[in-house]
Amino acid sequence: MPDAHQIDIHHVAKLARLTLTEEEATRYASQLDGILTYIDTLTRYDLGGVEPTAHAMPVYDVLRADEPRPGFTQEQALSNAPKRIADQIQIPKVIE
Amino acid sequence: MLASSTIAALRKGLTAGEITPRDIVLDVAKSIEAGNAEIGAYLSWDVEAALAEADRADITKPLGGIPIAVKDNMNVTGQPCTCGSRILAENYTAPYDAGAIQKLRAGGAIPFGRLNMDEFAMGSSTENSALGITRNPRDLSRVPGGSSGGSAAAVAGDLAIAALGSDTGGSIRQPAALCGCVGIKPTYGRVSRYGLVAFASSLDQIGPLTKTVEDSALLLNHLCGYDAHDSTSLNIEVPDFTASIGRDIKGLRIGLPKEYYIDGIHAGVSASVQAAIRQLESLGAIIEEISLPHTELGVATYYVLAPAEASANLARFDGVRYGHRSSSAGDLLEQYTKSRSEGFGPEVKRRILLGTYMLSSGYYDAYYIRAQKARTLIRNDFTEAFKKVDVILSPTSPTPAHKLGELKDNPLAAYLEDVFTIPVNLAGLPGISLPCGNVEVEGKALPVGLQIVGKALDEATVLRVAHAYEQSR
């Protein structure tokens, strides 16, 4: 684990698709540093050789029969779209 | 006042023909209209829709005609589902029923009213809701706990007969403790997460908040069960949980983790829990000290795994298919970032940033994998302890309810309040909180919660101990 938490908060925000004001960036960087310092508790234990746990009650290979079944209607799927055009979701132009 | 009654009592009244489902819905609506301005438990409620359902309710079903209030992060067809966030507040109407709601309806219940919560269930005070303040009905200057603060305040304040909450690190049990009602988080996988807006998928679990242990058992009977729409749903038989209550607890072994009974617990909380331990002993239970040696790792592990999972889950809010879309965006990338930045509140942004950082290139092994390994140690602690005891007992929260605003600028201090509830989610175990007395603070009696944790899938024993204690008080 890194010794100091030199978080490039603007880079992280970019990855998270968030924009931050300078005031927010300063505040979050300082708060995250405090939280990460606490999380360093984990480095005090030897975890070598311990298997990671993803789920406490793991269920594997959940499959269903590959058969047609009812799903959302077009109207249901589109009912919350912020912008619609011709029964599709409209977004800003992506191809010049 | 039917709203202050229990499911069990109302069912008797319905079956005897003394009351109708319509009477109940109208009385609950009256209570909300009279009390919600002060308590702020509900974000919305649709009386006409609930009355229409009441008029066609089948009272021969086990929950027939009983209105159940729902935390605002579960989809109910035709109702809002804001998650306490501006990003879903404007124009989202649920187009389907969550799995847990389908099961409740099959039992005859009526989903009525939407309850306030910390935004996307991130918080322990409900102060992170972007849509309003919820106050503790026992002391209006204090928080109700969270994130299911609206659920607990509604049930404890008699604005609901019973409610659904969700629990990722204590979000059912802690508000139940702080408001003075019963709340149970079932074993991970017992209740379908389909249609519950995801926070941390490996930890989230839906459960009931009720006035009595019996009502929790009744509701669990109709919440649990397999759902093909949730790949983590357990395909195993659901027992009749009401059959487990009412039995004595003679010879039952109760463990007290020595790591939990430490400095930092409020003296009044400690006294109430010690009295509860003596009470359980007088009922014939055998009290033993146990050890959960990796307790110290719980909060740190949680604050890696939960934000990491949340940052991935909340990527879906991009202003494309549903939710807030910024009106000032030029291109698609700007639409994503502006919609998210305008729509999410400070705590959600903080956790998305934290999770994104810990999952980013170069940090994944140091944080995420390390936390998953720590999770194994925490889970093993419980496995070892349950070789010796049947249930584990602790306070639910180390303190009674804080004043509104008290922990506002100190997120880490707020996170540390979850020390007794978080390990239970990490290990996937069932845990209940029930009232075990009050502590006098500034002339107000603030409730204290007792947490009882059981073996995986052994909700029956948890309910049995809780009921025996509740009935003996």
Side-chain angles (χ1 to χ4, degrees):
Chain A
M1 203 163 289
D3 291 335
H5 307 103
Q6 299 293 333
I7 307 165
D8 181 349
I9 194 76
H10 288 291
H11 175 66
V12 177
K14 193 181 156 206
L15 293 176
R17 299 285 184 258
L18 291 169
T19 47
L20 303 178
T21 63
E22 273 313 311
E23 190 269 326
E24 281 178 317
T26 310
R27 190 173 71 242
Y28 288 134
S30 139
Q31 287 173 338
L32 293 198
D33 188 66
I35 296 165
L36 289 168
T37 301
Y38 178 73
I39 286 171
D40 286 345
T41 311
L42 297 180
T43 60
R44 295 215 297 268
Y45 286 76
D46 179 13
L47 298 169
V50 179
E51 282 296 309
T53 295
H55 273 84
M57 302 284 289
V59 179
Y60 298 105
D61 301 331
V62 180
L63 300 171
R64 64 171 173 82
D66 188 15
E67 290 161 353
R69 53 175 188 167
F72 269 15
T73 61
Q74 188 177 46
E75 187 46 45
Q76 272 179 307
L78 288 169
S79 62
N80 287 297
K83 263 192 177 172
R84 293 168 61 160
I85 185 167
D87 286 335
Q88 300 188 47
I89 295 167
Q90 190 181 2
I91 56 165
K93 194 173 170 185
V94 288
I95 302 166
E96 290 306 323
Chain B
M1 270 286 284
L2 303 179
S4 60
S5 190
T6 62
I7 299 174
L10 291 172
R11 284 293 307 156
K12 279 190 192 127
L14 284 166
T15 313
E18 293 155 4
I19 48 170
T20 66
R22 194 180 180 85
D23 297 335
I24 302 174
V25 169
L26 282 172
D27 193 75
V28 173
K30 209 169 84 183
S31 301
I32 299 172
E33 275 142 30
N36 199 56
E38 197 169 62
I39 294 177
Y42 287 83
L43 292 172
S44 62
W45 61 97
D46 184 342
V47 183
E48 290 311 312
L51 284 175
E53 286 195 51
D55 288 342
R56 49 172 201 270
D58 178 356
I59 62 159
T60 64
K61 290 183 173 174
L63 297 174
I66 303 292
I68 305 290
V70 180
K71 186 177 183 179
D72 213 8
N73 62 351
M74 295 170 218
N75 281 274
V76 179
T77 309
Q79 296 186 7
C81 185
T82 68
C83 295
S85 180
R86 278 193 299 275
I87 213 160
L88 283 169
E90 295 162 24
N91 44 21
Y92 182 84
T93 303
Y96 69 107
D97 276 345
I101 300 295
Q102 292 172 16
K103 289 231 178 341
L104 269 193
R105 281 196 201 279
I110 302 166
F112 174 45
R114 311 291 308 180
L115 297 161
N116 201 15
M117 56 185 282
D118 285 300
E119 185 174 1
F120 286 101
M122 297 178 187
S124 336
S125 69
T126 313
E127 291 170 294
N128 294 332
S129 170
L131 306 178
I133 291 170
T134 302
R135 295 172 186 277
N136 192 313
R138 303 283 181 251
D139 177 349
L140 296 173
S141 71
R142 292 179 187 272
V143 300
S147 66
S148 310
S151 307
V155 173
D158 289 336
L159 306 188
I161 294 151
L164 296 190
S166 64
D167 191 316
T168 305
S171 280
I172 289 173
R173 291 160 286 156
Q174 186 259 17
L178 269 44
C179 289
C181 63
V182 178
I184 181 165
K185 181 200 88 72
T187 306
Y188 182 83
R190 270 284 197 206
V191 181
S192 167
R193 292 182 298 107
Y194 173 63
L196 166 71
V197 178
F199 162 16
S201 305
S202 81
L203 303 163
D204 297 342
Q205 193 62 193
I206 291 172
L209 291 97
T210 59
K211 289 168 188 165
T212 61
V213 175
E214 183 186 14
D215 275 7
S216 274
L218 267 171
L219 274 181
L220 272 189
N221 277 357
H222 299 280
L223 285 169
C224 296
Y226 180 65
D227 181 359
H229 285 109
D230 173 2
S231 65
T232 59
S233 173
L234 296 172
N235 197 354
I236 49 168
E237 204 183 326
V238 179
D240 175 4
F241 293 111
T242 60
S244 59
I245 60 174
R247 293 168 51 204
D248 72 50
I249 56 166
K250 284 197 182 71
L252 198 125
R253 295 162 306 166
I254 297 178
L256 308 179
K258 63 180 182 195
E259 292 82 4
Y260 283 24
Y261 293 87
I262 41 155
D263 294 345
I265 300 178
H266 187 284
V269 170
S270 194
S272 295
V273 171
Q274 291 300 334
I277 293 167
R278 288 193 296 276
Q279 181 71 13
L280 285 161
E281 203 165 17
S282 77
L283 294 172
I286 300 159
I287 308 291
E288 286 178 36
E289 186 182 87
I290 55 157
S291 175
L292 299 171
H294 299 96
T295 294
E296 187 197 21
L297 294 179
V299 175
T301 301
Y302 178 85
Y303 278 97
V304 176
L305 298 181
E309 294 185 20
S311 71
N313 275 326
L314 269 58
R316 72 191 62 180
F317 294 96
D318 55 9
V320 174
R321 292 150 298 160
Y322 41 72
H324 172 72
R325 178 184 287 195
S326 175
S327 56
S328 66
D331 60 17
L332 187 60
L333 184 61
E334 201 177 52
Q335 182 184 292
Y336 296 157
T337 53
K338 282 198 168 175
S339 300
R340 290 166 65 76
S341 302
E342 292 166 10
F344 290 135
E347 180 65 21
V348 175
K349 285 181 186 168
R350 188 153 47 231
R351 296 209 200 180
I352 289 175
L353 291 167
L354 183 60
T356 304
Y357 173 74
M358 294 187 299
L359 291 178
S360 65
S361 176
Y363 297 102
Y364 180 78
D365 286 346
Y367 289 110
Y368 194 67
I369 297 297
R370 186 178 286 272
Q372 286 195 326
K373 289 179 175 178
R375 185 175 188 178
T376 304
L377 298 181
I378 291 161
R379 191 172 161 222
N380 291 349
D381 281 358
F382 281 104
T383 307
E384 284 305 309
F386 280 126
K387 287 177 183 167
K388 288 197 266 177
V389 296
D390 300 300
V391 294
I392 294 172
L393 203 78
S394 74
T396 306
S397 167
T399 61
H402 289 287
K403 290 269 190 195
L404 284 154
E406 199 176 321
L407 293 180
K408 197 166 157 245
D409 296 316
N410 194 346
L412 184 58
Y415 296 173
L416 293 171
E417 299 273 292
D418 302 333
V419 57
F420 301 134
T421 49
I422 276 176
V424 182
N425 297 78
L426 291 170
L429 304 172
I432 199 169
S433 177
L434 76 162
C436 71
N438 296 304
V439 34
E440 279 291 308
V441 183
E442 295 171 9
K444 294 270 169 67
L446 303 180
V448 176
L450 180 71
Q451 178 175 250
I452 303 167
V453 177
K455 296 172 192 167
L457 302 173
D458 195 14
E459 287 83 1
T461 302
V462 170
L463 290 162
R464 179 178 152 204
V465 177
H467 187 258
Y469 172 72
E470 178 192 54
Q471 297 303 309
S472 73
R473 293 186 68 211

